Each structure stands twice: as C-alpha cells, then as structure tokens.
Amino acid sequence: MAEKREPVLVVLQLSGGNDYLNTVIPYANSLYWENRPAVSIPEDQIIPIDQALGFHPSMEALKPFYDAGDVAVMHGVGYANSPRSHFRSMDIWHTCEPDTVGTEGWLGRALRDIDPNKENVVTGVSFGPSMYRAMALPGVPVACVSGDLETYGMLPGIEGQRRQKVLERFKNAYAPAIGLGAVMDYMGQTGLDSMSGADILKEAPQRYQSSVTYPDSKVARKLRGVAQVHTADLGTRIFYLDHGSFDTHASQTGEHAKLWREVSEGVGAFFTDLREHAAADNVVMLIFTEFGRRVHDNGSGTDHGAGGVAFAIGGAVQGGMYGEYPSLKAEALTQGDLMPNQDFRGVYTTLLEDWLELDAPSIVGGTFESPAFIAKA
Amino acid sequence: MVDNHDIGLMAHLMRRAGFGAPREELERRAAKGYEATVQELIHPENSEPADEYALLRYQPAALLPGGMPPMGNVNWMFHMVNTQRPLEEKMALFWHHVFATGNSKVDNYDQLLAQIGMFRQRGMGNYRDLLVASAKDPAMIYWLDNNENHKDAVNENWGRELLELFSMGQGNYTEKDVREASRAFTGWTFSVKIPRLPYGRFPWAFEYVAEDHDDGEKEFLGHTGNFNGEDIIDIVVQQPACGRFVARHLYNFFVADEPQVPSWKITPSRDEAAVDALATTFQESGYDMQAVLTTLFTSDFFKEACFTKVKSPAELVVGTLRLVGGAEIPRPDYGREIALQPTYMGQDLLNPPSVEGWHTGKEWINSGSLMSRINFVADMVGSTDLPGVRDMIRRIRAKGSLDPEAFVNSCLDLMGPLQVGTDTRQELLEQAREGGRLAWDSADETEASVARVGEMLQLIVAMREYQFN
Amino acid sequence: MLTTVIAGRVYDFSHTVGRNAAAGDGFSYPCAIAPASPGMLYVVSRGNETNYGSRLTKVFVGAPGEEKVLAEFCRYGSNPGQALWPNSVALDKQGRVYVSDDWLNRIAVFDPDGNFIEQWGTAGSGPGEFDGPAGLAFDADDQLYVVDSRNHRVQVYTADGKYVSGWGSHGRGPDQLDTPWGIHIDAHGAVYVADWKNGRVQKRDRNGQVLMQFGQAGDGPRDLNHPTGVAVDTDGDVYVTDWGNHKLRIYRADGDLITSLIGDAQWLSKWGQQSIDANPDMAKMRRRVKSLEPEWRFYYPTAVAFDAERDLIIVADCQRGRLQIYKKDRNYAVPQANL
C-alpha cells in the first residue's frame, strides 16, 4: 500500500461578494422570482440539483463532481452583524476576528503548526500580487507568486545567460559575512531564502507534463500553477488564490455568468489534471466569498449582502448539502439580506481538524459547530 | 563650491525629510546650503503642492474612491510623487504611521484621504491642535468607535488609544484616566451622511452632540473638573511623557529604527540623549512641530545617521519614482502598477494592519517583500528610456571612457551617493570588469554601454545596501 | 431654486438621468455628451480602475422616467474599438460616432449603433499628431476639430482623418492655450475652446483668429476655475461648465454673464430610485440625513450639450454619475410677484 500522502488544502477566494441567490438558486421559491425582477436566471437554464435548488448554468463543469459526491455545498455561511464592507468582511474571514482588527491569518497559524521549525520555505504558496492576510503571520515564510510561475524569481527583467551571472553575484553578495550587523545578516538570509524558494518553485513547471488543457482565464492559469507545484511534490500543504471581481452592482447577469464559467471550468480542469497525475486524493479545495449579495436586485445588479455560500471539493469530501438555505421571507432578512445561519469558523474547523489534523480552536479562536463534510477514512 | 560631502549630506536630508531627490535637485539645494534647505522644507507654503486639478482631470475617480482600491492609493501616490513640498508630505506619512487609521474598517478611502489632507495641513503645526483635529476627524471617530461613545454608555476605544498610542504610551496613566478621558469625549461624533447609493460618496462632518455629552466632574491625571475633550488634550500635552512619546516616534521615523511602540515602556531608546533633546524642544516651544523638526534635522545625531534605517515600502517606491521620473501624470493602470506597489511590499497605505500601525525596520523584510522590493526598483532603474535614468546615463557618459572601478563608483554616486560594503563592491566590480572599459565612441559602443549601465543600476538596487535609507 | 427667471430667459429644472454604475443603467464619471435625433444621447463614461466602467452609452432620454440604454460600446481596453481614457464624443452628418482617446492618442469611429468602423491618429507633436486628444466637434462642412490638449492646440481633420490645419500654442497670452479641453462650433462656424488651465473660453473664427473670450481665471464669484465644456444654444447664449467651481455658467453672446446654475437634482433619477429600493439600509439612512441638499448640486460638471429640438440643457455631472437636465422654457408665464 502506498504511503499516506500529507493532506493539502487549496483555498480559492471569490473576491467581491458572490451572489449566493444566483449561484445555488432557490428556483422553486416564489420569493426568489419576486425579489429578482431584473437579475434572475431563466428557469429553463438552471441546472437542477433537486426539487428546490439548482446551480447557475455556468457551473455545468462542476455538476459531474457534485453528482459524484465530491462537492459539499455549505449554506448560509457568514457571521453575525455582517459589515457589508469588502475589506472588513474579508479581514474577518482571513483573521477569524469579527470584533477587533486582527493581523494574524488563520492559514498563517495553520502553517506555523504544520511546519513549526520552518523547514520548508514553500509549505505555503500563494498566487497573487501580495500576501493574502489569511496566510500572514510574522516569521512564517510564504512564497508569493505574483505573476506566472515560469517567470517567478529575482530580477526577471534581466534575460538570458547574463541573468545567471547576475544572480550568482547576487548570491555571493548576500552570503554570510562577518561584522555586517544583525539587520544585514537577517536581510542576507532572507534574500537567499527568497531565491531558493523561487529556485524550488521554478522547477515545478519544468517537471510538469499534462494532457489537460486549461481554459484561458486568470483563475485557470493560477490553478494550473497550483497543479504544477502540487504534482512536483515540493511539500506544499496550503495553496491560496483568488478570482474576481464578483462585486456585481451593475450588469450582473453577463459578468456573473462569465466569472462562474471561468471558475467552474478552471476547477474542473484542475481536478482532472490532478487525477491524471494520481495526485487528487490528498487535495481538498475550499471556495468562499466574503459575503453574499442583497436579496432584491437594483435594476441591473445586486448590492452588498450578508449570508453566502461556500463549497468544499475533493475526493475526500462527503458531497451534499450542509445547513439550511436561509429564509427569503421579508421578516427573516437582516437589512434586506439573507441571515447567515452557519458560522464560517465551523467550516474552517472541519478543514483544520478533519482534513489537516490540526488543533482548530487555537486557530479559529474558539469552538464552532462544524459540518462533517470530510469523509472519515 | 559644492563638494561630495555636501551632496551626500543633502541626499541624506532629502531621503529622510522627503522621498529623495534627483542629482540636479541635490546640487541646487546643496548650493543653497543645508540650513537654508531645512528652513525651506519646514516652510512648505513657499513651494508648490501637487496639482489636484491635474489628478482629477486624468483620474476623476481619485476624488471619491469609495471603499475599494486602488483609486485612493492613486490619489496619495500622485501627491507623494509630484509635491514640491516633500517634508509636508513626509510628515503626512509620519502621522499616518502614528494615527494609523485603516480602510479595512472605515471602508471609505474618501475620509482617509481627508485625514491625510488634515495631516498635510497641520502636520508641522502645533501638536495640541493636531490632536484636537484628529479627535474630530470622522475617519478616526469611526475607526475608534467614538460615535459609539455615549453619555450613558461609554466606549473607551478612542480614550484609550489617545493615551496609549497617540500621546503618552503605556505606564503613564491609569485605567481610571482612560475611563475619565473617554467620558470627556462623549458626544464627539459625526452627523449622518448621505449614503453612497446612488450617486457616490458624500463627506462626513464632525458633530458635537451636547445632549450626549457627559457633563459630570472628571478626575484625570491629577486634575479635577468638568472636562470636555479639548481640556483632556490640554492636560495630556503638558505631560513630560507626551513630549518623549512624540520625540521617540520622530526618532524612529526620521533617525534610526527603534523597537515597536508596545515595548517602549521597558526598552529605552537607542539614543536617549537625542530623544531628550527633541522632547525638550517640544515642551519649550509649546508643542510646535516646526521647532522640533528644526532641532531634529540640524542635530549631529541626525546627520550621522546615514543609511541606518530600512526603507519603508512607501519610501522605497516613491524615492525610486522621483529618481527615475515619468510617473508625474497618472497613466492607465497606475493603480495596480504603481500606486499599489507599497501594498505588494507589505505597506498597504490608508489601510494599516491595526491602530498600532506597521511594524517597521527589519520587519519590513520577508522573503516575499524583499523580492517585490528588488524587482520593482530594478524594473524602474533598468528602464533606460525613463527621464531620470536617461539623465544618469548622460552624466556617466559625460565622464567619457571609464575603467570598471570608475564605472562602479559613478553608478554608486548617482544612486545615492550610496555606500556599500567590501563584498558588495567586489561583486559590482566583477560585473563591471566583465565588459571591460565603458566606452561611448561608436553607436554600437554607446548602445552596449547604455545596456551595461542599466544592468549595473539593477544589480546595485538588488544589493542589501539599497534597502537602507 | 428649480426655476431661474432672469434677463428674459427661463431655466427650468427638468430631471436627472443616471446613477453611478460601471455598466448598464447608469454612468461612471460621465465627461462628454452628444445629442442625436430623436431624443437620443451618446454619453462618454470616463470610468475608473476599480471597476473599469469606461464606455460609451447610447441612451434614449424621454420625459422624466423614460430613459433606456440602447447600446454600450467602446469599453476599456487598447484593442480596436476600445479606449483607455475616452474623453469626448461627436457625430458627423451621417450620425457616425467619433470618440477621442486621451491616452492612446487616437480617434475611434463607430456606426450609430456602436459597431466599430475605424480608428486613426498617432502620438507626437507634429502636424496631424496627438498628445492627449480631448474635445471633439464637427463644423458645417463635416470637418472634425480636435482639441490636442497636451500640444496646446486645435487641429482640423476631414471626417476620414486627413489633417487639414491647426492652430494654437502653449502659453497664457490672449491667443495661446494651456491644456485645453472641450470645444464647440456654433451655427456661424465660430469655434469655442475651453482653455482649461488658463481659466477662460476662447471664441475664434475657423482660421483660429481670436474673436473674444468668455470668463477669466481667478477666485472671484464670476471667475472660472478650470472650465471644461462649452455649448451654444439656438439664441447664441453660451454655456460653460465651470468644473472647479461646480457651476454651469451662462453667458450672453457678448460675453456678459447671465446667471450660474449649481445643480437642482431634488428628485432621484429613475435608476437611482431602483438602487434605493433594493437597499433598505440606504433608504433608512437617507431619512436620517439633516439635509439632502448636497446631493442636488453639481460636483465637477464636465460637459454641457444643448438639445435644440427640445430646448434642453444637459449637463454631465461627472462625480455624481448622472446627467442633470434643464429646459430653456420659452413659454413661461411669469406669475404675479406678490402671491
């Protein structure tokens, strides 16, 4: 029997506030149609899940995964007193601090617990121009790939053979030396770490081969980067990426459909790719957004809301529905928004305890009811 | 006659009291003299501010950016890059580090920019007035919940941070003082503003609600009376701890990296005498920041502190842009390509991680941020068509054919003058030797030399020494 | 006041169209308007880099509440048919739509429905080259006048982009320009240019000879602060958006200031009301505001157009994402003053 491989978590953040009502659509509820005179999905296009709910037509590529029992749908996820601000809300998701302004990311804490001695500089890898606060914890190294994996590294503007020489000089100049002082020493070590992280990650695309063609979208390129690093077996345990903007105040119908097509097809290609490499079983993906959107549309889009929907995808996931769809009745709404009825920290708890096998309360700041969407081995 | 020592000292002053300056400006200022330049810097009213109308013509969304980046960042970056009042802008950045107020909660770059504008206007004025203006600043009120500070339900957030983070530091007051100060600020709030839908943002205005103010007697730092907010600030600024607190912040920002604020209670400054000198001027001048800054910039401890501080991301990015030029008019994608660069390096301007501000000094550096810093600056100085880079090449070319050592020295001189260690110099020399003498006699030689200067500049900014201010 | 009665003229506030929107029913920093028959407007949204809402909107504007987006085109981008910094719009005799791109230094041409036809223009400072093409206007001979803003001049082209002539130089002198913006050509072929940085509007003949100027820079109550747009009505009255002062200035043909309008949007636009209806918290906060008056006012009005068929004065209220519409009322019976 093959050695049990370490569990890997991929977090895909849908930035801007994804419209829950048009993602998992309560099409049998007349209140949906009443509240969405302009921004609804025609009933004949909805992909039915059951008698009450259906997926957005752009999620076609994910439907087979759902049917195979690999997708958990988490209803009404959020927290009390949603601030409806992108930043504040995203910060709360990132830090698990709904009352104060927190600085430590939940995944930063997870990385610290996974690799307390910082033995691997690529235990955490994020794809984006800067570190996501979710991954941030002072002293915890995270490799931030800002562009393509292929060009990731120091001084990418210098090309060809000259680059190798310049990088040699960089390494020599950063090498430990006597009498430079603590800050110079620290900077020297950091520069060398940073280069070796880049060197390690740059190997990944070279080792990678696949018959899977990813669609042409930003999120698909990032997911392909995740697949490249993951299949290279570099010991990366947490990946982070985002896609957006889901902030569809205007002309939502076309934009939201495009975004979900990109996400669904990208994620579909990603898992197909991992399966081809026999590297899918130890990967679980979390897809979340900072908040759902207003129940009633504004004539062409929807404004900031509260309760949203999250997904977990992977072979280890126990597919199905978790939690209740919040009521659309006027008296059940909070300022016109769906009332969250499932705490996001419970979703994190499941991922931390049942998947990454870490101590969740110290990471999410307490004990929360956790949906059992990870299949017990 | 301006000599190299004068240029070096002027470069130091401009890096610290501003965002650096191109060689031509350094020469002009050095010819005027150091003291005269200090006076010019602390009297910004005689120089031109950045042209707001130009900003709004080309980036109309920079006026009311709302809650999402990057237009708020564009607005401030435009000011930092274009102002002819560098110290005014640097002081705005300084106070932003101290009175750290963030979009993560305020969700309103408009009000944060208004706060920065207030710092611009008052940052070199009287500290007491600055504290009062901060207490009335709507973004600050919302950030520290003073709009929730009511006569019958006191919220201590602003009252506590006023004492702990904005004036004295822990250990100089009791919990009772926090409570009493907070009571004095009840009723200090803002009026309801027109909400942002459907026509965009409208400003918040400070409002004093007398009916919600606790009129009872308060005991604060040994004084007793029916104090209102301004009385509390009057008492606070008289405390010796307040002068020392402001002095230590100034020392940390302008002179040398200190440990973070929470440890100040137990860790003395690396230069207690310097902090004392600044604190003394603070008290004797009646909290006049112009006087304190004059003491600071004319002191030996300042002049001797060359290249001892790690550049903040804002200093690194703005300093580079002012050196290489070409970013005076915002261009498309100025937000993501330019204005958000400090964010990518760990300093999300207008959105500090908490009310304690950023962790500075060596904590700016981690494996991700160091790579972003090096790659951004290298990208800029390697763009040999940018006006500031062209000017550096022109100056090197004017020296004629250069041997490798002179080539390296000329580049280091124009990039600072920058001082580097032996090992670094060795690597730069290796790089220079590889191409032999730098020559400009033919078109081919010139083309090759321009490329070599560009590469040398890139290697220089990749060295550790360039990360220091 | 909703109705201004002065100097034998009546300006009656009609209604507001639009709301801040990156797409669809609204505008994002509207900065230019071209009326088209019947009842149609082309509106340039300058947009921003948060949501890239720049575009041209073809919108039908009827009576209050009767507005409808008919087409959206020329979105953000540098491909043919896109623009990075769309600045102005003008229509030729066939109704083709010309759009200037302040950054890409080109003019794009679309058919009346927004289908891309062609583009022309190159960067530079020589004759026929652009540095920041801004205001656009056609004369009676279908020649296109282009404000070449950072070259501080106006250039004249045929409708298919052939350079004809140009005039203007950089400076403060009476016949010079500093970063001009909007332009208008009246029924007699006279050219009006908003001389933005010099704080005035120049009136010139078709050859560029200065005839007179409207307004002057300064801090006085009648002075202009960075004027951006200009239009002339069928009576020869001249409208100027006094951008930095947030006013619409109205001058007699002889240059005498008749009055200044400051914006009167006392009722929400149709699309604005939809936003409020969908957001109960916004509706609640509006009821708690001491005064909604700031919402009525212009904020950096950038362009003005006169719809001659309906006597409408249409102002692009840039920072508010809307148009404010006044009617020049010619049948107004003045009530008794002692009511």
Side-chain angles (χ1 to χ4, degrees):
Chain A
M1 189 184 138
E3 182 190 354
K4 179 184 179 278
R5 284 183 299 183
E6 299 280 14
V8 170
L9 176 64
V10 179
V11 178
L12 170 54
Q13 168 180 307
L14 308 182
S15 302
N18 171 52
D19 184 19
Y20 180 11
L21 279 171
N22 274 356
T23 303
V24 180
I25 304 159
Y27 68 90
N29 188 337
S30 61
L31 288 170
Y32 169 73
W33 303 103
E34 283 169 27
N35 276 292
R36 292 295 176 92
V39 189
S40 61
I41 308 298
E43 192 160 0
D44 58 350
Q45 294 176 21
I46 295 169
I47 303 169
I49 305 169
D50 56 29
Q51 298 299 314
L53 302 176
F55 286 128
H56 188 286
S58 285
M59 297 169 75
E60 195 179 354
L62 285 180
K63 184 64 170 28
F65 291 88
Y66 184 85
D67 292 340
D70 290 347
V71 178
V73 179
M74 259 77 73
H75 288 291
V77 183
Y79 48 88
N81 304 316
S82 182
R84 300 178 179 82
S85 137
H86 294 293
F87 268 98
R88 183 68 197 120
S89 198
M90 199 57 98
D91 265 2
I92 292 170
W93 277 86
H94 283 178
T95 63
C96 299
E97 299 269 14
D99 302 318
T100 58
V101 179
T103 54
E104 294 184 355
W106 72 286
L107 294 171
R109 295 186 197 120
L111 287 167
R112 175 197 59 201
D113 293 354
I114 289 170
D115 184 17
N117 300 322
K118 297 173 216 168
E119 285 162 17
N120 186 349
V121 294
V122 297
T123 305
V125 176
S126 84
F127 288 80
S130 61
M131 181 105 86
Y132 299 92
R133 195 166 282 183
M135 300 280 269
L137 187 71
V140 170
V142 172
C144 301
V145 182
S146 54
D148 288 341
L149 207 49
E150 283 80 356
T151 54
Y152 175 61
M154 209 66 92
L155 297 172
I158 301 177
E159 289 167 356
Q161 294 180 328
R162 309 201 331 194
R163 180 143 192 270
Q164 283 315 311
K165 289 208 166 148
V166 170
L167 291 183
E168 270 314 302
R169 304 216 160 88
F170 179 91
K171 271 187 195 164
N172 293 340
Y174 274 66
I178 297 163
L180 293 178
V183 180
M184 283 290 274
D185 287 349
Y186 167 76
M187 214 180 270
Q189 189 55 49
T190 307
L192 295 175
D193 278 357
S194 177
M195 254 190 81
S196 67
D199 286 348
I200 295 169
L201 288 183
K202 227 175 5 228
E203 293 267 304
Q206 293 162 19
R207 290 193 213 167
Y208 168 87
Q209 275 192 324
S210 177
S211 69
V212 174
T213 309
Y214 284 76
D216 181 25
S217 70
K218 278 187 187 161
V219 68
R221 279 191 289 281
K222 288 179 184 175
L223 284 163
R224 184 162 166 271
V226 173
Q228 289 172 330
V229 176
H230 174 66
T231 56
D233 261 335
L234 305 173
T236 303
R237 301 285 306 283
I238 297 176
F239 292 95
Y240 207 100
L241 69 155
D242 79 337
H243 193 49
S245 166
F246 284 80
D247 197 18
T248 48
H249 290 280
S251 290
Q252 172 171 320
T253 309
E255 190 57 24
H256 191 244
K258 173 170 172 284
L259 289 162
W260 265 106
R261 192 177 322 110
E262 290 170 347
V263 167
S264 308
E265 292 177 355
V267 170
F270 172 73
F271 276 103
T272 307
D273 192 14
L274 295 197
R275 282 179 191 164
E276 178 179 312
H277 290 85
D281 292 349
N282 65 328
V283 174
V284 166
M285 177 182 285
L286 169 69
I287 302 179
F288 82 98
T289 187
E290 70 264 41
F291 48 62
R293 304 192 77 80
R294 186 73 25 102
V295 171
H296 201 287
D297 72 47
N298 69 19
S300 83
T302 52
D303 301 308
H304 300 178
V309 63
F311 303 89
I313 306 176
V317 168
Q318 184 82 54
M321 301 283 174
Y322 293 84
E324 301 266 316
Y325 210 113
S327 169
L328 271 65
K329 289 185 181 142
E331 63 274 19
L333 303 181
T334 163
Q335 305 281 3
D337 295 332
L338 295 176
M339 183 78 90
N341 53 18
Q342 182 161 206
D343 195 293
F344 71 103
R345 289 163 292 188
V347 176
Y348 287 177
T349 297
T350 307
L351 291 167
L352 291 165
E353 288 193 337
D354 299 346
W355 183 238
L356 297 174
E357 296 177 340
L358 300 171
D359 178 56
S362 64
I363 291 177
V364 305
T367 307
F368 298 88
E369 197 178 326
S370 54
F373 59 84
I374 297 292
K376 299 287 185 213
Chain B
M1 186 62 202
V2 175
D3 67 18
N4 244 13
H5 174 263
D6 292 341
I7 293 284
L9 190 59
M10 187 55 67
H12 170 63
L13 175 66
M14 295 312 294
R15 278 193 302 271
R16 298 289 177 89
F19 299 92
R23 179 53 60 107
E24 183 273 328
E25 181 182 337
L26 292 178
E27 288 169 354
R28 186 161 38 82
R29 289 187 182 278
K32 258 188 204 166
Y34 187 91
E35 311 278 325
T37 300
V38 170
Q39 284 307 307
E40 203 172 294
L41 291 169
I42 65 170
H43 289 288
E45 63 278 9
N46 299 322
S47 304
E48 287 295 309
D51 181 359
E52 282 261 3
Y53 291 117
L55 173 65
L56 296 185
R57 175 166 181 162
Y58 297 112
Q59 299 284 13
L63 180 69
L64 305 172
M68 291 290 281
M71 297 315 297
N73 311 69
V74 166
N75 186 314
W76 199 4
M77 184 59 74
F78 176 85
H79 279 90
M80 290 194 285
V81 167
N82 284 295
T83 184
Q84 297 307 311
R85 303 171 168 184
L87 182 57
E88 179 186 85
E89 207 60 41
K90 199 67 179 278
M91 285 303 286
L93 180 62
F94 168 71
W95 292 122
H96 182 48
H97 277 237
V98 178
F99 294 96
T101 308
N103 187 64
S104 62
K105 176 170 170 181
V106 180
D107 189 26
N108 191 327
Y109 279 105
D110 315 19
Q111 291 303 143
L112 291 160
L113 289 169
Q115 188 185 79
I116 300 302
M118 185 270 283
F119 292 156
R120 232 175 247 138
Q121 192 195 337
R122 297 181 179 276
M124 283 196 265
N126 188 287
Y127 187 64
R128 182 235 173 236
D129 297 343
L130 178 67
L131 271 183
V132 172
S134 299
K136 292 181 175 177
D137 179 80
M140 178 63 83
I141 290 172
Y142 187 73
W143 173 240
L144 293 181
D145 305 317
N146 212 57
N147 54 317
E148 300 294 340
N149 186 16
H150 303 292
K151 179 165 70 177
D152 52 2
V154 174
N155 183 304
E156 298 181 359
N157 202 4
W158 157 258
R160 178 179 305 280
E161 303 306 6
L162 169 67
L163 306 184
E164 181 182 333
L165 294 173
F166 304 152
S167 68
M168 296 194 293
Q170 277 188 341
N172 294 294
Y173 53 86
T174 64
E175 281 301 302
K176 173 139 204 254
D177 292 323
V178 170
R179 182 86 188 160
E180 298 290 280
S182 303
R183 285 178 58 214
F185 281 98
T186 49
W188 288 47
T189 185
F190 40 69
S191 44
V192 173
K193 63 182 162 73
I194 300 173
R196 65 174 179 266
L197 293 181
Y199 300 131
R201 307 263 177 159
F202 287 82
W204 250 331
F206 172 73
E207 184 177 37
Y208 176 67
V209 182
E211 299 80 2
D212 200 21
H213 178 72
D214 178 344
D215 258 330
E217 188 171 85
K218 292 124 194 152
E219 268 181 64
F220 179 68
L221 292 174
H223 300 255
T224 305
N226 173 14
F227 298 135
N228 210 319
E230 298 205 20
D231 304 313
I232 295 294
I233 288 173
D234 283 332
I235 295 168
V236 162
V237 291
Q238 289 166 20
Q239 307 298 312
C242 179
R244 282 192 59 79
F245 185 84
V246 173
R248 198 153 177 190
H249 262 301
L250 287 166
Y251 184 86
N252 177 52
F253 188 84
F254 285 104
V255 186
D257 290 324
E258 290 266 67
Q260 301 305 132
V261 177
S263 67
W264 288 4
K265 199 169 87 174
I266 43 170
T267 316
S269 171
R270 54 199 291 168
D271 188 347
E272 283 289 310
V275 172
D276 283 344
L278 296 172
T280 302
T281 308
F282 181 84
Q283 289 297 341
E284 287 177 353
S285 66
Y287 333 120
D288 175 13
M289 294 308 299
Q290 272 175 333
V292 181
L293 289 168
T294 305
T295 299
L296 171 67
F297 293 126
T298 54
S299 70
D300 288 341
F301 65 77
F302 173 77
K303 293 179 187 172
E304 288 159 7
C306 279
F307 299 117
T308 50
K309 275 180 61 62
V310 177
K311 283 172 183 155
S312 68
E315 288 174 320
L316 183 90
V317 171
V318 179
T320 302
L321 293 172
R322 289 185 76 117
L323 180 71
V324 300
E328 292 75 22
I329 286 187
R331 58 174 183 256
D333 263 330
Y334 189 87
R336 283 165 183 79
E337 289 176 8
I338 301 286
L340 287 179
Q341 286 295 335
T343 302
Y344 303 154
M345 301 170 192
Q347 187 175 26
D348 192 13
L349 291 171
L350 306 173
N351 193 29
S354 78
V355 65
E356 287 182 24
W358 288 279
H359 287 206
T360 59
K362 103 181 214 246
E363 295 194 49
W364 288 123
I365 305 295
N366 60 51
S367 55
S369 72
L370 184 59
M371 191 182 287
S372 306
R373 288 166 75 109
I374 290 171
N375 286 351
F376 172 75
V377 183
D379 200 29
M380 290 290 124
V381 299
S383 301
T384 49
D385 52 344
L386 287 173
V389 182
R390 278 208 311 262
D391 183 64
M392 288 193 274
I393 292 169
R394 187 183 58 74
R395 285 169 181 270
I396 290 171
R397 186 178 177 172
K399 296 183 175 188
S401 168
L402 295 178
D403 67 30
E405 185 143 4
F407 173 27
V408 169
N409 287 343
S410 301
C411 289
L412 287 172
D413 182 56
L414 289 172
M415 289 305 291
L418 189 64
Q419 298 153 14
V420 297
T422 329
D423 292 356
T424 299
R425 173 175 293 277
Q426 190 55 38
E427 296 304 320
L428 297 176
L429 274 174
E430 286 293 322
Q431 172 81 8
R433 281 187 194 123
E434 199 166 292
R437 289 186 75 84
L438 196 70
W440 308 88
D441 294 331
S442 67
D444 284 354
E445 276 181 359
T446 300
E447 193 188 332
S449 293
V450 166
R452 284 181 66 199
V453 173
E455 256 174 43
M456 180 61 71
L457 297 179
Q458 292 192 63
L459 189 59
I460 288 173
V461 301
M463 296 294 102
R464 279 175 282 181
E465 287 85 346
Y466 190 77
Q467 301 301 326
F468 290 86
N469 220 9
Chain C
M1 52 200 169
L2 293 166
T3 307
T4 301
V5 180
I6 191 162
R9 294 156 174 87
V10 176
Y11 308 103
D12 191 34
F13 180 77
S14 172
H15 67 294
T16 308
V17 172
R19 60 177 172 185
N20 259 335
D25 297 347
F27 310 106
S28 179
Y29 303 95
C31 59
I33 309 162
S37 188
M40 235 86 76
L41 298 175
Y42 291 92
V43 179
V44 177
S45 280
R46 177 60 166 70
N48 70 51
E49 286 174 22
T50 304
N51 56 27
Y52 297 98
S54 71
R55 64 195 185 275
L56 247 85
T57 305
K58 182 183 185 182
V59 56
F60 170 75
V61 174
E66 290 179 0
E67 51 256 34
K68 190 170 168 35
V69 170
L70 302 175
E72 280 187 288
F73 56 101
C74 195
R75 292 173 195 278
Y76 188 87
S78 47
N79 292 330
Q82 300 178 326
L84 289 178
W85 285 3
N87 184 294
S88 187
V89 57
L91 310 180
D92 70 8
K93 284 216 170 94
Q94 302 172 49
R96 288 187 302 204
V97 184
Y98 291 66
V99 182
S100 56
D101 188 325
D102 190 355
W103 184 260
L104 293 173
N105 291 308
R106 68 190 188 192
I107 309 293
V109 188
F110 300 86
D111 76 13
D113 298 321
N115 299 302
F116 176 68
I117 300 171
E118 61 168 347
Q119 63 184 33
W120 44 268
T122 50
S125 56
E129 296 174 335
F130 293 132
D131 189 2
L136 299 177
F138 276 98
D139 69 8
D141 301 328
D142 234 12
Q143 294 193 111
L144 179 63
Y145 287 59
V146 182
V147 173
D148 185 16
S149 66
R150 289 187 290 278
N151 283 324
H152 315 283
R153 64 185 179 185
V154 172
Q155 302 199 83
V156 186
Y157 294 83
T158 62
D160 55 356
K162 290 196 183 61
Y163 175 73
V164 178
S165 63
W167 38 260
S169 64
H170 187 205
R172 310 184 53 141
D175 61 344
Q176 293 182 304
L177 295 163
D178 193 347
T179 331
W181 191 331
I183 190 169
H184 183 84
I185 299 173
D186 73 13
H188 309 289
V191 184
Y192 301 72
V193 182
D195 188 7
W196 184 68
K197 225 170 176 178
N198 283 328
R200 64 189 173 193
V201 170
Q202 287 182 347
K203 181 180 178 183
R204 302 197 187 214
D205 69 18
R206 65 179 65 222
N207 301 315
Q209 290 301 312
V210 176
L211 304 173
M212 61 181 292
Q213 81 174 47
F214 294 82
Q216 59 183 20
D219 299 327
R222 300 161 78 89
D223 291 336
L224 294 176
N225 182 359
H226 292 81
T228 49
V230 54
V232 180
D233 72 15
T234 40
D235 306 317
D237 288 353
V238 178
Y239 303 84
V240 176
T241 45
D242 187 1
W243 188 69
N245 286 323
H246 315 296
K247 289 184 166 78
L248 181 73
R249 305 289 195 176
I250 308 178
Y251 299 91
R252 248 193 276 268
D254 64 5
D256 195 25
L257 182 67
I258 299 169
T259 190
S260 305
L261 302 179
I262 57 175
D264 293 283
Q266 296 194 26
W267 303 278
L268 285 168
S269 63
K270 173 184 160 191
W271 297 332
Q273 186 64 50
Q274 285 176 345
S275 284
I276 297 303
D277 291 345
N279 289 279
D281 42 355
M282 299 286 167
K284 279 183 183 168
M285 287 311 257
R286 288 178 70 81
R287 294 179 64 88
R288 292 178 56 189
V289 173
K290 281 189 184 130
S291 167
L292 287 167
E293 190 177 332
E295 188 180 80
W296 307 349
R297 304 307 181 204
F298 295 136
Y299 206 30
Y300 290 95
T302 305
V304 56
F306 190 80
D307 179 337
E309 285 181 4
R310 298 182 285 177
D311 282 329
L312 297 180
I313 304 156
I314 304 163
V315 178
D317 193 2
C318 180
Q319 291 286 339
R320 295 291 166 221
R322 66 187 174 190
L323 311 176
Q324 291 208 39
I325 302 177
Y326 291 81
K327 186 172 179 65
K328 186 170 187 180
D329 192 341
R330 295 166 194 281
N331 302 307
Y332 188 80
V334 180
Q336 232 172 272
N338 64 350
L339 283 178

